[in-house]
Amino acid sequence: MSVLDLSEQEIFRRQSLEDLRKLGIEPYPQEGFEINTTTEEILANFDPEKKNYQNVSIAGRIMARRIMGKASFCELMDEKGRIQLYFNRDEICPGDDKTLYNEVFKKHLDIGDIIGVKGYAFITQVGEKSIFVKEFKILSKSLRVLPIVKEKDGVVYDAFSDPEQRYRQRYVDLIVNPHIKDVFIKRAKIIETMRQMFNEHGYLEVETPILQPIPGGAAARPFITHHNALNIPLYLRIANELYLKRLIVGGFNGVYEFAKDFRNEGMDRTHNPEFTVMEIYVAYKDYFWMMEFTEKMLQKVALAIHGTTEVPVGDKIINFKPPFRRLTMIDAIKEYAGVDITGMNEQQLREVCKKLDIEVDETFGKGKLIDEIFGETCEEHLIQPTFIIDYPIEMSPLCKRHRKNPELTERFELLVNGKELCNAYTELNDPIDQLERFKEQLRLSEKGDEEAMFIDYDFVRALEYGMPPCAGMGIGIDRLTMIMTNQPSIQDVLFFPQMRPEKKIERDEPAKFIETGVPQEWVEILINNGFTTVSALKNANPNKVHQVICGANKKLKLGLKNPTPEEVRQWIES
RNA sequence: GAUUCAGUAGCUCAGCCGGUAGAGCACAUCCCUUUUAAGGAUGGGGUCCUGGGUUCGAAUCCCAGCUGAAUCACCA
């Protein structure tokens, strides 16, 4: 990296780094730094009358500096919060040599540097709990300038708010917007709460393949990759359902997995190509049992995060207190679209769509038509948690037929805030029916449905050995976190959401320019004026190049002797 | 994929009926012994996203592109 690529401030910081080394101070020391408390504990518990916290050792990042002659204040931020540090020249440097304060502290420390300090807690004249620093140690020098966010009386100044930069450089976001951490702490708590509940029931947490030869268990386009040693294609899983059910065949009564799934589809506020789903399968249960289990689970999660079942989401309050409303899909359509679709055939359903002004495709079968009607007319109304039950059979190839109506399946989805949160079935364990359903999917696929499922013969074989009756449920952890933390976008509940790659500027070494005949003094000027590669220079108009570099020479007052246009032509044509 | 908006200093943004590029914070030098969005003085720092066009002259107007955001559409 050339010095010209650095901002002035970055150059100053690199200079400080050198100066520190010259003073015998290693800016990146090997040894650790013992800490014995946190900013949070001191601020919460320090009491001058008790004379506690008189020997503290803490470490963190410098987030603000106020220097005034012999005394200075810094703000130190650790994982838990910020506390003010008080530096006094004669305390830091008791002898005659004031270098440590005047040079090291005042000149070579910057906002963003990580330091360790030892000292005692006290209260300043203005009444702020602070640390009186007796010693400090540089633990890591920061060479980049942090965006500085200031705050007074709850008003934030110069917030670091550009979403692109926040997501691309999440580490900076977490430093300067520490409240972002809360979302992720809550996310971990949500998962912990669920895991604890499952374990109490005696269910086993398992891991199943992410690289799968057949991407099964859902309808979605997969990511494809290749295994060299076996010379076969492999898919990143779109779901783990079929593997978990194999384990139920194998004799476990309950298995669950927090799984990263991958789908090669669009990205938006509620979709990221990789996302987390929790799936759980419990033997000898049906979907009614699973609804109650799901209600209890969500109630526990809401209580763990909010201490109440009432959760604020946007301008709404969502109440996770069981029991949740249960509504069949047909009744939902009756209620919100005002149409009774009971017993309708495909043609009649098409007419309903037309009447309701719902766009449909020729390839849609009955199931998809009903799903469209439901999606268009009902979803947005289902704000409070609502189980939508008994889906048409065409949409649910892994779900058991309804015990009373063979056109339907024993499936429920839980809708919250107008969005699907959970999906669950009484699982299909009839191997012959399962094979038929897979074959129907194959027909849909041949008809052009890109998301129709593949046939997994090994899974059918497993069912042929016998799977106990079983209920299964999947829940989107990212969406659950969005609801529980009141975040409108999936990007805000993922540390590192998928982004387009950053544009890289191609660049040749200066030596390559010199090889083609460009005098050394002009190389950086060319690079800085957009001719970053030799080939870019070769493709340029010689007159333009001449004008640009002569212009730069004049503008930057470099005092170089301008080359003749003929010389420039030779660089380019050589 | 469609529409709208945005891209100017390290950060937040102003300038946009064309005429030498601005502020606050941050940074540098100096002053200041308890300050707190510390303060005072001085100073440095910009391919005004990129490429074309109009023009004597473009950050500003026009066209195209890139990147991002919002809304909508699509997607179990």
Side-chain angles (χ1 to χ4, degrees), chain A residues 12-191:
Chain A
F12 279 128
R13 289 191 177 207
R14 279 170 158 74
Q15 188 57 49
S16 283
L17 193 72
E18 289 312 306
D19 292 344
L20 285 170
R21 288 211 166 104
K22 278 181 201 149
L23 289 166
I25 294 169
E26 173 50 48
Y28 302 105
Q30 285 78 8
E31 63 277 12
F33 184 85
E34 193 79 20
I35 59 172
N36 61 16
T37 184
T38 64
T39 59
E40 187 184 41
E41 283 184 43
I42 298 168
L43 291 175
N45 302 324
F46 171 56
D47 181 345
E49 297 200 346
K50 285 187 193 156
K51 291 250 174 203
N52 52 3
Y53 295 104
Q54 293 307 291
N55 193 4
V56 303
S57 179
I58 60 172
R61 197 182 288 275
I62 297 173
M63 295 304 287
R65 300 210 305 158
R66 296 181 281 276
I67 293 176
M68 49 200 72
K70 262 164 66 175
S72 298
F73 295 85
C74 280
E75 274 182 37
L76 187 80
M77 180 169 80
D78 66 6
E79 188 189 348
K80 300 292 186 181
R82 289 182 179 208
I83 196 165
Q84 178 170 265
L85 306 178
Y86 172 69
F87 287 80
N88 181 294
R89 184 204 293 159
D90 299 326
E91 293 291 334
I92 302 290
C93 311
D96 288 338
D97 181 4
K98 304 297 184 191
T99 309
L100 200 55
Y101 182 81
N102 286 339
E103 296 295 319
V104 177
F105 173 77
K106 273 171 69 172
K107 294 198 176 151
H108 301 323
L109 281 191
D110 292 289
I111 289 172
D113 290 352
I114 295 169
I115 62 170
V117 303
K118 293 184 181 182
Y120 58 86
F122 78 113
I123 293 184
T124 63
Q125 288 180 1
V126 193
E128 177 159 345
K129 287 178 183 173
S130 307
I131 304 292
F132 192 107
V133 177
K134 306 288 278 184
E135 303 171 35
F136 71 95
K137 180 176 182 184
I138 298 174
L139 303 179
S140 182
K141 180 81 192 148
S142 167
L143 296 181
R144 290 217 179 225
V145 185
L146 281 176
I148 298 302
V149 179
K150 292 197 172 183
E151 189 189 330
K152 190 188 188 182
D153 303 330
V155 183
V156 176
Y157 299 85
D158 301 338
F160 177 69
S161 56
D162 178 31
E164 182 185 3
Q165 288 195 63
R166 285 187 46 225
Y167 300 143
R168 275 197 208 283
Q169 299 185 44
R170 181 68 89 178
Y171 36 89
V172 175
D173 190 29
L174 289 164
I175 293 167
V176 302
N177 297 324
H179 58 278
I180 299 291
K181 283 183 189 157
D182 294 346
V183 169
F184 295 95
I185 292 168
K186 284 179 180 160
R187 183 182 171 117
K189 182 109 185 161
I190 289 166
I191 292 171

Side-chain angles (χ1 to χ4, degrees), chain A residues 319-337:
Chain A
N319 194 339
F320 285 97
K321 187 171 171 55
F324 302 163
R325 189 179 181 203
R326 296 180 189 185
L327 196 59
T328 68
M329 190 169 238
I330 286 180
D331 285 343
I333 291 172
K334 211 183 286 177
E335 179 170 334
Y336 293 105

Side-chain angles (χ1 to χ4, degrees), chain A residues 387-399:
Chain A
F387 290 117
I388 298 297
I389 64 174
D390 301 348
Y391 280 62
I393 194 158
E394 295 87 343
M395 299 166 59
S396 314
L398 303 169
C399 182

